[in-house]
Amino acid sequence: MAVDNVSMQIDRGEVLGVVGESGAGKSMTGAAIIGLLEAPGRIAEGEILFEGQRIDTLSDDELRVIRGRQIGAIFQDPLTSLNPLHTVGRQIIDTIVTHLKLSQRQARARALELLQEVGIPAAKERIDHYPHQFSGGMRQRVVIALALCADPKLIIADEPTTALDVSIQAQIIALLRKLCDEHGTAIMLITHDMGVIAETADRVAVMYAGRVGEIGPVADIIHKPKLPYTVGLMGSIPSITTEVDELAQIDGAMPRLNAVPPGCRFHPRCAHAFERCHIDLPELIKAGSSEVACWLYDEKKPGKGPSVSRKETARKKKASAKAAEALPLVKVDGLKQYFDVSPPWLTRVLERSGRQIVKAVDDLEFTINRGETFGLVGESGCGKSTVARAIVGLYTPTAGTITYMPGENGGATAKERVAEFDDKIQMIFQDPHASLNPRWKVADVISESIPEDRVSADRVAELLRQVGLADADGEKYPHEFSGGQRQRISIARALGGEPEFLICDEPTSALDVSVQAQILNLMVDLQRRLGLTYLFISHDLAVVHHISTRVGVMYLGRLVEWAETERLFANPQHPYTRLLLQSVPDLSKIGMRRAPMAGEVPNPLDPPSGCAFHPRCPFVQDRCLSERPMSIEVDGTHVACHAVEEGRV
Amino acid sequence: MVAFILSRVLQAFIVMLGVAMIAFSLFNYVGDPISNLVGIQTSAEKREQLRESLGLNDPAPVQFARFISRTVQFEFGISYQQKRSVSSIIAERMPATLELSFVSALLALFIGIPMGVYTALNRNSWLSHAMLSLSLVGVSLPTFLIGIMLIFVFAVQLHALPSFGRGQVVDLGFWTTGFLTASGLKALIMPSITLALFQMTLIMRLVRSEMLEVLRTDYIKFARARGLTRRTVNFGYALMNTLVPVITITGLQLGSIIAFAIITETVFQWPGMGLMFIQAIAEVDIPVMSTYLMLIACFFVIINLIVDLLYYFVDPRLRVDRGW
């Protein structure tokens, strides 16, 4: 049973957010509404009413007429949502003529209108293009146009922005809200991202292990959550506006749906659980303006519910003060990493095209001090992972030097450095499923990283305990662990050689928020105990804000700004940083409407001249088009921008 | 586009050169050409003289160059056994094989694809299960067994169809065809089914698995969520996308229909190139063997080229420039 006794109501024109971690049954609920449950899934019990009409009992053909016409849908990945063999125009027209009595010509005119409405530039030409000719953000716009093309009354949007970059995500959310306001369309917004919900939804339903745990107005859910799970969830979300020492942590993971515990499904992880929670399954009961399924709010047990606590402490201040005194550990100087992506020579000769070089990293300069966490943020394709790979020695830099411990070892080249400091530098990757050898026992995975003369069962057990796993876990295989536990194994493996410096490339991006909080807390804890230095790479500004002492912002292979975390987030200098920070959906921005950053990241094969950001920059002047800005220091912030330099911002 | 075709043609050329080298080396390494030409009584001097006059003492590259230049002029030498030029033997045998292969390919495609689509769309119907079980038979039974069984039932027991040969053929001058006479068509039935059966089941299974894959994709889910009709989703969206990868495999399979007609031709004594090849092997007829080798390679290369081009036309992702 994947979804159990879920009841919710969406009013006309309303945005209902449905949140929950992966496997909570959010998408399943959405699919059930439009009758797209995949076999062997079926609706075993309950009913779905649409405008008073029961729709779950309709035949497939009757339901088909409702799909698209009355209820539209948007899915997560715009790259795979469109048929690659048809032009976008044809796909829209197909859908229009299915539902509306229009001729091909009229349908085409309407398709064109729709494309213009969702903000596709040069829609007249673009209508005859194939999906692969559009960028991810543009494709999601096309998907929205497709969902809206018969003017449905409800749209089920399943993670509509998850696959997109922050600035594009903000554009899509704004667009979705605007269109639905104009057309009076209701939205069921399914997402795991509370920030998106905070900004978009009117009401929120929190799902856990196939059930609705709490449902209520968005402000109440975020500021006054009642269900202990929601409380923990809110506390575990890092924010760009508040500073906390440690994220609230819900231990454990959501139960698999074939092994749900008796009683309240959350009780094994709940700090407030009492006897009744172990036995009886709670139903939704009224509590203030919300409804919550928790025995704590039952009349028979009046008690004070849990509350969100965000303790402010001075961890980072201390750390950054210490780091400022410390010696630099890694110095990156003039790093360039180019990749040749030219087509074969015959094509080049015939089409008279030159070599194509992607400047993945172009002239990068920064230092990482001992004991600090240097955060590197940027949108996809900005070159942040390339930096990580260059530092760890997976690439030989095209130009520039990376120096490890510059004070003690003057200017070693990348290759020498790797040989000498092999054990001192380790890396943690994004996908914990792909980065562990599935055929090796965990103990073998970990002992591989320990220098040969020191390998022992005790050492492996010690490492496992260090990352919060049990000694016995060493005898298991990676597939027996959840995503979060696997990331712990990756960390244990990285710690095997007693490194000083860990490069973490999106270490929490594949994890759910509550698990992400566990991993982030673990990393902070390890840093404190082992005196580690981190290079933390992520696209998630909130996570970087939470964990880093200093932050660098990358755009198209260049570092546009770097400064201490607090300074950068409180007082951003570069226009890109400012816009990026504005784009981040955050819990504090309930119902906020804003103008998102325009444009998209340009093609790295053909970057704009001068300052790469100039096509999207509101402060652009002639100089930005021709001259590349150099990094200058303003009040401790390193920033590369003509406008800042000239005091125009 | 031009670059794409040119590079493919270039690749094809290199492949053909490689094959020609193997065909050429057959002459020198499979038996001695002189002993194949002359009788036992010929003296050693005579043999040496013949060797010299045929240029067999020249260095290998020179001989190879000569071989290539003759080959491109369609001069493949004289068959050791039949004492006729190989090109005329081939010209005589080729229509039989090509007609048989053509009919088999049509059968395989026009029965295999619909069956694959049906079994993918109606995964749980009894008919699908029946087709899948039957297809296992098609895949696992050797061709010659099927051929012999067909002969036993339809020729020996029922006397409905001829058990061997092409029947009456019409000579069009450059081509002999069995399509124009009733006996010719009748003779085609059993060999073509025998030859098609394996490919048919293979294509069916391939189409089925590809289509099931496609039906699981997001764009199909999204198309259904938009309320498009079942027909549009299944045929306009799913089938089209299924065919993209199917084209490649199917193309290669058609090549192997021609190449592996050998067994079927032997079973039915079909006077095609496969039968000719079997006889040539039995008699160590090197010129025939080497020519057949090059011809089949040539078919494969041409079919591959066509498949690549088709791919290019079906899939817009290869056709148009990426991104903006």
Side-chain angles (χ1 to χ4, degrees), chain A residues 172-498:
Chain A
I172 296 294
I173 291 174
L175 175 72
L176 205 56
R177 265 236 84 133
K178 180 182 134 246
L179 290 177
C180 291
D181 283 352
E182 285 169 12
H183 295 242
T185 315
I187 306 179
M188 175 173 171
L189 179 66
I190 300 168
T191 178
H192 68 278
D193 188 334
M194 273 313 294
V196 171
I197 292 277
E199 236 173 82
T200 323
D202 302 314
R203 286 190 308 132
V204 184
V206 180
M207 288 191 72
Y208 183 81
R211 293 177 67 91
V212 174
E214 183 169 4
I215 185 165
V218 64
D220 287 357
I221 298 284
I222 288 172
H223 294 309
K224 288 178 279 173
K226 298 197 167 57
L227 186 72
Y229 172 67
T230 320
V231 174
L233 195 66
M234 294 304 150
S236 66
I237 300 168
S239 162
I240 56 164
T241 46
T242 36
E243 186 85 22
V244 289
D245 184 34
E246 205 168 62
L247 295 167
Q249 189 166 322
I250 315 173
D251 287 324
M254 199 171 67
R256 294 206 178 128
L257 290 167
N258 51 17
V260 285
C264 172
R265 290 177 177 186
F266 185 61
H267 86 256
R269 300 172 75 187
C270 182
H272 306 270
F274 56 105
E275 314 85 65
R276 195 170 175 193
C277 307
H278 296 258
I279 308 153
D280 292 336
L281 190 60
E283 297 299 334
L284 284 174
I285 44 175
K286 198 102 181 116
S289 53
S290 316
E291 284 178 87
V292 55
C294 178
W295 294 124
L296 288 176
Y297 297 91
D298 192 51
E299 288 160 0
K300 286 174 205 152
K301 156 103 194 187
K304 209 170 151 283
S307 62
V308 193
S309 62
R310 281 176 176 269
K311 276 177 284 175
E312 302 223 0
T313 48
R315 160 177 70 85
K316 247 188 260 176
K317 282 192 190 110
K318 261 190 243 158
S320 67
K322 231 167 98 191
E325 292 162 21
L327 290 167
L329 185 73
V330 177
K331 190 168 186 304
V332 174
D333 196 8
L335 177 68
K336 288 183 183 180
Q337 189 73 57
Y338 295 172
F339 296 101
D340 190 344
V341 291
S342 313
W345 68 268
L346 192 67
T347 315
R348 287 210 307 276
V349 171
L350 285 163
E351 291 172 1
R352 294 186 184 79
S353 56
R355 287 196 162 271
Q356 289 186 312
I357 308 285
V358 173
K359 299 181 176 177
V361 173
D362 201 8
D363 215 354
L364 218 60
E365 198 175 322
F366 63 92
T367 50
I368 301 171
N369 293 333
R370 196 180 280 274
E372 77 167 347
T373 302
F374 191 89
L376 207 52
V377 279
E379 299 181 271
S380 51
C382 73
K384 49 192 193 303
S385 292
T386 311
V387 175
R389 285 159 173 268
I391 293 180
V392 87
L394 291 172
Y395 295 141
T396 308
T398 311
T401 55
I402 301 162
T403 322
Y404 192 69
M405 295 201 292
E408 296 145 56
N409 180 341
T413 66
K415 277 208 179 105
E416 293 165 10
R417 181 186 52 63
V418 169
E420 198 172 331
F421 299 108
D422 227 0
D423 294 336
K424 299 289 172 212
I425 304 176
Q426 289 293 329
M427 192 155 174
I428 299 168
F429 296 92
Q430 171 175 359
D431 187 353
H433 296 266
S435 55
L436 297 172
N437 186 338
R439 295 185 193 281
W440 282 17
K441 282 183 187 161
V442 169
D444 298 331
V445 169
I446 293 173
S447 44
E448 189 199 22
S449 70
I450 305 172
E452 264 169 51
D453 50 326
R454 269 175 281 161
V455 177
S456 70
D458 287 346
R459 177 73 182 128
V460 172
E462 187 191 336
L463 285 166
L464 281 170
R465 281 196 300 270
Q466 244 172 13
V467 296
L469 293 172
D471 294 9
D473 288 336
E475 289 308 303
K476 296 185 190 163
Y477 288 92
H479 72 260
E480 296 174 60
F481 295 90
S482 68
Q485 287 172 319
R486 277 189 237 199
Q487 205 58 311
R488 286 174 192 267
I489 297 170
S490 298
I491 294 173
R493 175 178 59 183
L495 293 176
E498 294 174 28

Side-chain angles (χ1 to χ4, degrees), chain A residues 36 60 64 67-68 73 75 80-86 91 95 98-99 126 130 132-133 143 146 346-347 350, chain B residues 3 6-7 218-219 221-222 224-230 236-237 240-241 244 316-317 319-321 323-324:
Chain A
L36 286 180
D60 200 50
R64 192 183 63 67
R67 288 200 291 257
F75 295 117
T80 56
S81 286
L82 299 169
N83 182 353
L85 300 186
H86 291 340
Q91 297 187 48
T95 314
T98 307
H99 293 297
R126 300 293 261 159
Y130 290 93
H132 70 269
Q133 292 166 287
V143 168
L146 274 163
L346 192 67
T347 315
L350 285 163
Chain B
L6 260 180
S7 70
D218 282 356
Y219 55 84
K221 209 167 87 182
F222 187 45
R224 292 180 56 205
R226 298 203 302 275
L228 293 182
T229 58
R230 199 172 267 275
Y237 281 47
M240 281 268 288
N241 278 286
V244 175
R317 281 164 293 190
R319 211 187 308 148
V320 220
D321 298 326
W324 244 27

